[in-house]
Amino acid sequence: MIGVAYFEKLAFDNQWIGPTARIVQGAIGGLVLIYAGIRFARAGYGVYGQMLEGCGAAILFVSTYAAFNFYQLIDRPAAFALMVAITGATAVLADRQRSQGLAVMAVGGGFATPFLLPGSTDAQLALFGYDAILIGGTMYLSHRRAWPVLNVVSYAFTVVTVAAWADRFYTYEKYLRTEIFLSAFCAMFLYILHECRRASTPGGSVAALVLWTSPVVYYVASLIILFNHPTAALVWFVGIMLAGAVLAARTINFAGLAVWCAVTLPLLLWIQLHARGAWLAPGLATVGGVYAIALITQLYSSWQRGAFDAVDAIWLHLNGLLMFAGAYFLIDPVRADATGMAAGAFAAWHGALAVTLLHHRRDQALHFAALAFTLLMIAIALQFNGPAITVGWAAEGAVVIALGLHERREWLRLGGGVLFTVAVGRAVLLVLGTPIYQEGLLNSRAGCALFVAVLCYVLAWLHRRRSDVPASEFAIAATLVAAQIVTLALVTGEIHVYWAAREGALARQLMLSVSWAAYATLLIVIGLRTDYAPIRYFAMLVFGVTTLKVFAVDMDRLERVYRILSIVGLGVMLLLTSYLYQRSRKPMASSSGPIDDTIGRR
């Protein structure tokens, strides 16, 4: 062939033959090689003959390309028809002789035809329709002869073709046709992927691995195309969610969660860019549609599998919380006062789901209940302010803890404990950071602190009744200590409020020291009577803080009389407490033998 090429070049340089003769000569040479290859293949020289056939097909492609691009002997339709004919003939030869090499050449030549016959005008419908036909033919031939590598070739050429067309011809108004073709291509390659995963050929797994990138490429391309088309983007979100629901129902639940994430993240971005009155209804409809599709998919999938696993739980909570977040961002700029009611209604809906599923799918029902409580917490924060939020969160946390104890679900009890801890912290900050001019005791922040303290005792009682649950002793100690912290904070806050209105800074510091010491003494007495160590240890801590305050603050700031009263008051309380402590230990020591008596004195 190299020798013939040199001869042809010499003939061209010396103008021995014209352009038409050159093209005809190339075509005849290609046909002769194809015929020779067929004869050799029939004679038993399969690979040898197929190589000759492939060489002849390549010469025919080059001859047609030269006839159109170099010499303009034929127009584009004729050149296109010739290349399609060459592609089809090569595919037929590959099928008959079971030659995967010829098939790859046929597929590559078919997809390369538009590149070999370039034009200056956009022919999107013809180009993409032609590629769709080639993908279908490749799919048929690959399935017929178990050649999965052909699908990889068609996939790669399709991506290159679409990218090259978009670089030259894509404009804003062509988004709909482009998206339709991209969706069709993705659906075809997903079907091919499904077939490759079922195939037992060695190349099937490799082809499937490559084709797994097709939905990712389609997703990114669609986001780029639809970014500036808000309505079309919303329709696309719902369509992708429906496809994900079908995928989750037919394969695994994790696939549905992955598709949901791929829809939710750009949907939230869309909401941030279009959160205004004109897009309120379409945005809410899309959010509701995505939420409903995900919810139905979760319920159907768990019912079909007869199980509720970690993926189900994660998807359930994320779907409710993030879809509410989307609705909130849409509603807030238009009707900020309606966000709290929306959260409350959403919480009630999930509570109703929990009640409905309680006797049939208990685990799933408890997760719906937890989601309802979370949304209720958000509703309280949006609808109320100040002490009302603290009271609502404390009550909700206590109810969740009680539900966790009743159902023996540690994750539920832990979630309620976190919420209740936040409420305790808010109650402490509320009574310590209250404005100074207001009535003492008979006010909302004092009532809030008392309510939280009472709930602490209720939770301790509930854990005492359920002493068999894990870490019940720790929970009892934590809630009782939390009650003392809130109570001590309330006493401190009330002293600040009382003396702030009377401008008695010196008396306030004295009263604080005496009150803290008296409260610590009271806790010591209670701890000794009940023989409960955590209360005694907390009282000792309060005594320590009080002592530091007396010597670090009172000694420096108080006048001489107040300073003496503060130190004497603390000393009396310490002496009284020490006496009561030693007295409670005396019977234990006296009733023991000599060794035990020595230990008791120590």
Side-chain angles (χ1 to χ4, degrees):
M1 288 188 62
I2 294 174
V4 171
Y6 272 111
F7 173 77
E8 292 293 331
K9 183 179 185 303
L10 181 63
F12 294 166
D13 293 341
N14 292 280
Q15 300 296 321
W16 293 347
I17 54 177
T20 303
R22 299 171 193 173
I23 298 302
V24 171
Q25 177 183 268
I28 293 174
L31 292 173
V32 169
L33 283 175
I34 291 175
Y35 176 76
I38 295 173
R39 293 300 298 269
F40 277 110
R42 290 178 178 176
Y45 302 95
V47 177
Y48 185 78
Q50 292 162 14
M51 293 178 67
L52 292 180
E53 293 168 17
C55 182
I59 292 175
L60 291 178
F61 272 115
V62 173
S63 298
T64 307
Y65 172 80
F68 171 74
N69 288 281
F70 294 161
Y71 308 121
Q72 291 77 43
L73 297 177
I74 55 178
D75 56 10
R76 181 177 288 104
F80 185 80
L82 285 174
M83 286 195 173
V84 169
I86 298 169
T87 300
T90 308
V92 170
L93 288 175
D95 181 45
R96 288 184 176 180
Q97 299 180 14
R98 302 178 183 271
S99 173
Q100 187 171 206
L102 283 178
V104 170
M105 185 173 184
V107 173
F111 278 100
T113 295
F115 294 95
L116 297 176
L117 305 174
S120 57
T121 59
D122 180 21
Q124 182 187 14
L125 292 177
L127 176 62
F128 287 4
Y130 170 73
D131 278 1
I133 295 173
L134 280 178
I135 295 172
T138 304
M139 184 193 313
Y140 169 77
L141 187 58
S142 173
H143 178 75
R144 175 180 168 83
R145 295 302 181 188
W147 294 333
V149 70
L150 295 183
N151 296 313
V152 176
V153 175
S154 68
Y155 169 61
F157 270 104
T158 302
V159 172
V160 172
T161 301
V162 173
W165 172 86
D167 183 59
R168 291 190 60 189
F169 299 111
Y170 179 75
T171 56
Y172 178 85
E173 64 276 3
K174 297 176 183 177
Y175 78 96
L176 184 57
R177 286 184 301 177
T178 305
E179 184 60 31
I180 291 174
F181 273 112
L182 288 180
S183 301
F185 291 157
C186 182
M188 296 176 76
F189 284 116
L190 284 178
Y191 176 78
I192 295 172
L193 171 62
H194 176 68
E195 293 296 316
C196 289
R197 293 178 66 234
R198 294 174 57 185
S200 58
T201 56
S205 58
V206 177
L209 183 63
V210 175
L211 292 175
W212 267 118
T213 62
S214 60
V216 179
V217 174
Y218 166 74
Y219 173 77
V220 175
S222 297
L223 286 180
I224 295 173
I225 292 172
L226 301 176
F227 184 79
N228 294 321
H229 302 276
T231 304
L234 293 180
V235 175
W236 183 76
F237 289 145
V238 176
I240 294 298
M241 196 61 225
L242 287 172
V246 175
L247 184 63
R250 295 180 62 87
T251 55
I252 56 175
N253 208 27
F254 182 78
L257 175 59
V259 174
W260 178 88
C261 291
V263 170
T264 300
L265 296 180
L267 176 58
L268 293 177
L269 177 61
W270 183 98
I271 291 172
Q272 289 293 324
L273 297 175
H274 301 87
R276 49 185 181 272
W279 291 104
L280 177 60
L284 287 178
T286 304
V287 169
V290 172
Y291 167 80
I293 294 170
L295 177 63
I296 294 172
T297 304
Q298 293 165 19
L299 294 174
Y300 174 78
S301 177
S302 61
W303 171 78
Q304 188 180 42
R305 291 181 288 110
F308 185 79
D309 54 21
V311 174
D312 295 305
I314 293 172
W315 193 5
L316 185 151
H317 288 275
L318 287 179
N319 186 43
L321 293 176
L322 291 186
M323 289 303 103
F324 169 75
Y328 170 81
F329 290 129
L330 286 168
I331 298 172
D332 186 58
V334 182
R335 286 285 307 276
D337 57 335
T339 55
M341 292 185 292
F346 210 32
W349 161 250
H350 286 94
L353 286 175
V355 173
T356 304
L357 298 173
L358 187 60
H359 298 293
H360 305 285
R361 306 176 195 172
R362 201 169 190 85
D363 287 339
Q364 196 170 15
L366 291 176
H367 279 277
F368 274 120
L371 179 57
F373 284 122
T374 305
L375 291 168
L376 181 60
M377 178 189 70
I378 297 172
I380 292 171
L382 293 175
Q383 194 69 24
F384 304 100
N385 51 43
I389 296 178
T390 304
V391 169
W393 285 5
E396 183 181 345
V399 171
V400 174
I401 292 173
L403 181 61
L405 287 172
H406 181 268
E407 297 294 333
R408 299 185 180 275
R409 298 294 196 279
E410 288 304 305
W411 62 269
L412 197 58
R413 189 159 64 104
L414 178 61
V418 171
L419 179 58
F420 190 79
T421 303
V422 173
V424 170
R426 284 182 58 89
V428 172
L429 294 177
L430 190 66
V431 294
L432 293 180
T434 306
I436 57 176
Y437 296 107
Q438 62 172 305
E439 295 183 1
L441 290 179
L442 300 177
N443 54 65
S444 58
R445 50 105 186 150
C448 171
L450 289 174
F451 178 77
V452 173
V454 170
L455 280 183
C456 289
Y457 290 113
V458 172
L459 289 176
W461 176 72
L462 289 176
H463 280 88
R464 187 178 182 85
R465 291 185 60 191
R466 295 278 186 172
S467 58
D468 56 333
V469 300
S472 61
E473 291 297 327
F474 173 80
I476 294 172
T479 50
L480 289 177
V481 170
Q484 312 318 312
I485 292 174
V486 173
T487 304
L488 189 60
L490 176 60
V491 171
T492 304
E494 291 303 310
I495 292 173
H496 279 296
V497 170
Y498 178 82
W499 287 109
R502 293 163 178 78
E503 298 182 357
L506 300 179
R508 175 174 56 187
Q509 293 299 328
L510 172 62
M511 192 172 182
L512 280 176
S513 299
V514 174
S515 299
W516 289 1
Y519 190 76
T521 302
L522 176 63
L523 290 182
I524 287 289
V525 172
I526 295 174
L528 292 173
R529 285 294 187 92
T530 59
D531 195 23
Y532 194 63
I535 294 297
R536 299 198 303 269
Y537 296 154
F538 179 76
M540 294 176 187
L541 178 63
V542 175
F543 264 127
V545 173
T546 306
T547 304
L548 289 176
K549 176 184 179 300
V550 167
F551 287 97
V553 177
D554 296 357
M555 291 284 290
D556 180 59
R557 298 182 182 181
L558 298 184
E559 294 180 357
R560 181 172 300 176
V561 176
Y562 290 106
R563 188 185 308 165
I564 293 173
L565 292 175
S566 175
I567 297 174
V568 170
L570 175 62
V572 169
M573 294 297 176
L574 287 172
L575 287 171
L576 177 62
T577 303
S578 301
Y579 169 73
L580 294 174
Y581 201 89
Q582 292 298 317
R583 182 180 178 183
S584 68
R585 292 292 182 263
K586 185 176 179 181
M588 296 174 57
S590 61
S591 62
S592 305
I595 297 178
D596 291 339
D597 184 61
T598 304
I599 296 174
R601 286 196 299 273
R602 289 179 182 177

